[in-house]
C-alpha cells in the first residue's frame, strides 16, 4: 500500500521548524557583550516568552486581514524596543489592497496617532516602515459627540484619511497619556469595508504553516534587532545621543517624535544627572529607563519614567532628572530597580523645536550640592 501524503494541517515538520527557530533565538540572550548576571539573564529568557506571546497574537490569532481586530502589540507584561510607558498601543493586521474603517470614541488621551505600516521585524531586512500617519497633532478630526472615524484606503477620502499602499500590512495606534490615572483611552474598532455577509474561512494547513514560521521569525528577528541596538548603545555609556531619526521611522517610529537612545552604567554610589533647558512647546516629552533587552522597567509600581505632566521643573523652566539605585530624596528621581546597567530613552513628541538633553555622572554624596546650584 502506498504511503499516505501527510496532511499539511497535522504535519509535524512545521511544528518542529517553529520550535527550532525559537530555540535559535536564545542565542541573542547569551551574546558575549550582553550582561551575564542572574537578573539580566532571567529577564532575557522572560523577554523571549513575551515576544512569543506578541507574535502569536500577531500571526496566529489576529492575522485574518479580511476580519481584522485590534490587539496590544506591547503592554505592561510584553514589551518591545523601548516601549513607551505613557503609551497604550494597538495594532491590526490589514491588506493594503482593501479599504478599512476605524471608528470609536476619541477619549481624553493627550495624543492619538495612527500609522500605516509596511514590512516587519520577521522579514530579512527587519524594517517596519511608516507608510503614512494621521494624528491629533496634525489635525485629526473629532466629531461633536467625541467619536472619530478614519478611512484607510489607497484612494483619497474626505475627513480623516490614512493612506495605504499595496505593501501595507498593518495599522499601528499610539495613545499617549500625560496622566494614566485620570485620562481615558480611545475605544476603537476596525473593519474591512464591502465584506457583506461573508465570514472567516476555516483554518487551512498552508496558512497554519506560514503563521507558525512568521511567529518564530518575528521572535528571532526582534530579539536580534534590539540586541544589536543595545550593543551599540553600550559603547557610549551614560550619554543620550540623538538617534538616527530616519532609521527610527523605518522601524515603525512616529514621525512626530524626536528620539534619543542611550545606555546607563552606574556604581551603587553614583547617579546619572540628566538636564534639559528651555523646554520646547510640545504635545509631550518623556524619559524612561529600560533593561538591557530594551524593555521598559516595571512602571506599574515603580517610578522609572517621567513626562511633561509628572515632572517637577526648575525655577527657570528647565528640568533635572536623577537616575540611581538609591533614593537620593530629590525630585524627578528614577529607580533603576536593581539594574546597574541598561538602556534608556528620551522623546520629544510634537515639539516646535529640539533641545538636546545633557548627561553627567555624579557621586550621590555630591548630588545635593549640585542640585542646589
Amino acid at each position: 500500500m502506498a504511503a499516505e501524503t501527510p496532511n499539511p494541517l497535522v504535519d509535524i515538520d512545521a511544528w518542529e521548524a517553529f520550535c527550532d527557530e525559537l530555540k535559535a533565538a536564545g542565542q541573542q540572550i547569551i551574546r558575549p557583550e550582553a550582561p551575564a548576571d542572574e537578573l539580566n539573564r532571567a529577564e532575557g529568557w522572560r523577554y523571549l516568552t513575551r515576544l512569543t506571546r506578541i507574535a502569536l497574537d500577531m500571526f496566529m490569532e489576529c492575522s485574518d486581514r479580511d476580519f481584522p481586530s485590534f490587539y496590544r502589540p506591547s503592554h505592561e507584561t510584553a514589551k518591545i524596543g523601548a516601549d513607551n510607558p505613557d503609551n497604550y498601543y494597538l495594532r491590526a493586521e490589514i491588506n493594503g489592497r482593501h479599504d478599512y474603517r476605524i471608528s470609536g470614541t476619541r477619549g481624553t488621551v493627550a495624543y492619538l496617532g495612527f500609522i500605516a505600516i509596511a514590512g516587519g521585524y520577521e522579514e530579512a531586512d527587519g524594517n517596519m516602515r511608516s507608510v503614512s500617519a494621521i494624528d491629533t497633532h496634525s489635525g485629526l478630526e473629532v466629531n461633536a459627540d467625541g467619536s472619530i472615524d478614519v478611512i484607510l484606503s489607497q484612494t483619497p477620502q474626505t475627513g480623516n484619511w490614512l493612506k495605504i499602499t499595496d505593501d501595507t500590512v498593518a495599522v499601528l495606534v499610539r495613545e499617549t497619556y500625560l496622566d494614566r490615572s485620570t485620562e481615558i483611552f480611545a475605544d476603537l474598532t476596525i473593519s474591512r469595508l464591502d465584506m457583506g455577509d461573508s465570514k472567516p474561512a476555516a483554518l487551512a494547513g498552508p496558512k497554519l504553516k506560514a503563521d507558525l514560521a512568521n511567529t518564530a521569525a518575528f521572535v528571532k528577528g526582534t530579539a536580534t534587532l534590539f540586541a544589536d541596538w543595545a550593543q551599540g548603545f553600550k559603547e557610549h555609556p551614560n550619554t543620550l545621543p540623538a538617534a538616527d531619526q530616519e532609521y527610527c521611522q523605518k522601524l515603525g517610529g512616529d514621525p512626530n517624535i524626536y528620539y534619543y537612545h542611550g545606555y546607563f552604567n552606574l556604581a551603587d554610589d553614583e547617579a546619572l544627572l540628566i538636564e534639559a533647558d528651555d523646554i520646547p512647546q510640545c504635545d509631550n516629552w518623556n524619559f524612561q529607563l529600560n533593561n538591557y533587552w530594551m524593555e521598559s522597567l516595571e512602571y506599574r509600581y515603580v517610578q522609572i519614567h517621567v513626562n511633561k505632566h509628572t515632572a517637577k521643573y526648575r525655577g527657570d523652566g528647565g528640568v533635572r532628572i536623577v537616575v540611581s539605585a538609591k533614593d537620593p530624596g530629590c525630585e524627578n528621581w528614577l529607580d533603576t530597580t536593581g539594574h546597574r546597567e541598561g538602556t534608556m530613552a528620551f522623546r520629544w513628541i510634537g515639539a516646535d523645536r529640539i533641545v538636546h538633553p545633557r548627561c553627567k555622572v555624579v557621586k550621590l554624596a555630591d548630588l545635593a550640592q549640585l542640585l542646589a546650584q
Side-chain angles (χ1 to χ4, degrees):
M1 180 182 294
E4 293 184 5
T5 301
N7 185 325
L9 187 60
V10 296
D11 184 1
I12 196 171
D13 289 350
W15 179 257
E16 290 182 338
F18 166 74
C19 293
D20 287 344
E21 191 77 346
L22 287 183
K23 180 179 179 180
Q27 293 299 313
Q28 300 307 314
I29 309 305
I30 60 172
R31 288 166 58 146
E33 74 279 0
D37 60 281
E38 180 181 0
L39 175 58
N40 281 288
R41 279 287 171 85
E43 289 185 336
W45 303 126
R46 182 183 64 182
Y47 171 54
L48 294 184
T49 70
R50 290 173 163 185
L51 292 180
T52 303
R53 282 195 285 134
I54 293 169
L56 287 170
D57 270 345
M58 186 178 296
F59 296 106
M60 298 295 295
E61 304 298 341
C62 303
S63 62
D64 189 334
R65 302 175 194 279
D66 288 336
F67 296 88
S69 60
F70 280 121
Y71 61 94
R72 297 182 65 191
S74 188
H75 50 82
E76 293 85 353
T77 62
K79 308 180 179 192
I80 295 180
D83 58 292
N84 186 344
D86 289 326
N87 277 2
Y88 188 91
Y89 296 95
L90 295 172
R91 175 175 163 134
E93 307 306 306
I94 62 173
N95 182 335
R97 290 185 288 273
H98 301 307
D99 297 346
Y100 300 84
R101 180 192 304 275
I102 295 173
S103 58
T105 56
R106 160 70 176 85
T108 64
V109 289
Y111 177 83
L112 175 62
F114 302 84
I115 299 179
I117 296 293
Y121 299 155
E122 74 280 2
E123 297 185 359
D125 63 4
N127 286 345
M128 192 171 73
R129 302 174 297 282
S130 300
V131 175
S132 65
I134 183 172
D135 47 67
T136 50
H137 180 78
S138 57
L140 181 74
E141 296 178 9
V142 181
N143 300 321
D145 62 358
S147 64
I148 56 172
D149 294 282
V150 180
I151 298 297
L152 288 64
S153 66
Q154 296 191 23
T155 305
Q157 305 288 320
T158 58
N160 296 320
W161 172 55
L162 186 66
K163 178 183 177 181
I164 57 177
T165 53
D166 281 350
D167 61 350
T168 300
V169 298
V171 56
L172 179 65
V173 184
R174 285 182 174 88
E175 306 186 31
T176 304
Y177 294 87
L178 294 179
D179 185 348
R180 278 181 177 265
S181 67
T182 62
E183 293 174 82
I184 302 170
F185 67 87
D187 187 9
L188 305 171
T189 60
I190 183 171
S191 59
R192 180 182 158 188
L193 301 178
D194 302 323
M195 285 299 293
D197 296 328
S198 59
K199 60 183 180 180
L203 181 62
K207 183 178 187 308
L208 174 68
K209 295 176 73 171
D211 291 348
L212 282 172
N214 282 329
T215 297
F218 178 89
V219 175
K220 185 178 179 180
T222 305
T224 303
L225 172 65
F226 293 111
D228 288 346
W229 274 33
Q231 180 181 11
F233 302 157
K234 190 174 183 178
E235 295 174 1
H236 306 283
N238 301 317
T239 62
L240 270 174
D244 181 335
Q245 304 302 311
E246 183 177 351
Y247 185 57
C248 288
Q249 306 312 313
K250 290 182 179 180
L251 296 177
D254 188 327
N256 284 321
I257 299 179
Y258 195 91
Y259 296 90
Y260 301 80
H261 289 286
Y263 195 90
F264 69 89
N265 192 340
L266 300 169
D268 290 342
D269 65 343
E270 291 180 329
L272 180 63
L273 182 61
I274 301 161
E275 297 185 277
D277 302 324
D278 193 19
I279 303 297
Q281 292 293 319
C282 58
D283 295 314
N284 195 13
W285 65 263
N286 76 353
F287 172 80
Q288 69 184 73
L289 298 176
N290 315 305
N291 65 14
Y292 184 84
W293 313 109
M294 294 190 68
E295 299 179 291
S296 64
L297 299 183
E298 177 53 84
Y299 57 80
R300 293 174 297 176
Y301 310 111
V302 185
Q303 194 66 38
I304 62 87
H305 87 294
V306 64
N307 68 22
K308 171 184 174 180
H309 174 75
T310 61
K312 303 296 184 182
Y313 293 87
R314 300 186 318 227
D316 62 2
V319 67
R320 291 190 181 108
I321 303 165
V322 176
V323 174
S324 64
K326 300 175 182 177
D327 184 354
C330 65
E331 296 177 335
N332 302 329
W333 170 62
L334 303 184
D335 190 339
T336 59
T337 68
H339 297 79
R340 294 193 64 174
E341 58 185 308
T343 60
M344 52 187 180
F346 190 103
R347 302 171 180 83
W348 297 115
I349 303 175
D352 63 355
R353 54 194 168 80
I354 300 303
V355 176
H356 297 310
R358 307 187 308 277
C359 297
K360 180 180 180 181
V361 175
V362 300
K363 293 295 184 180
L364 282 171
D366 300 329
L367 184 60
Q369 181 178 354
L370 288 171
L371 295 180
Q373 295 176 357

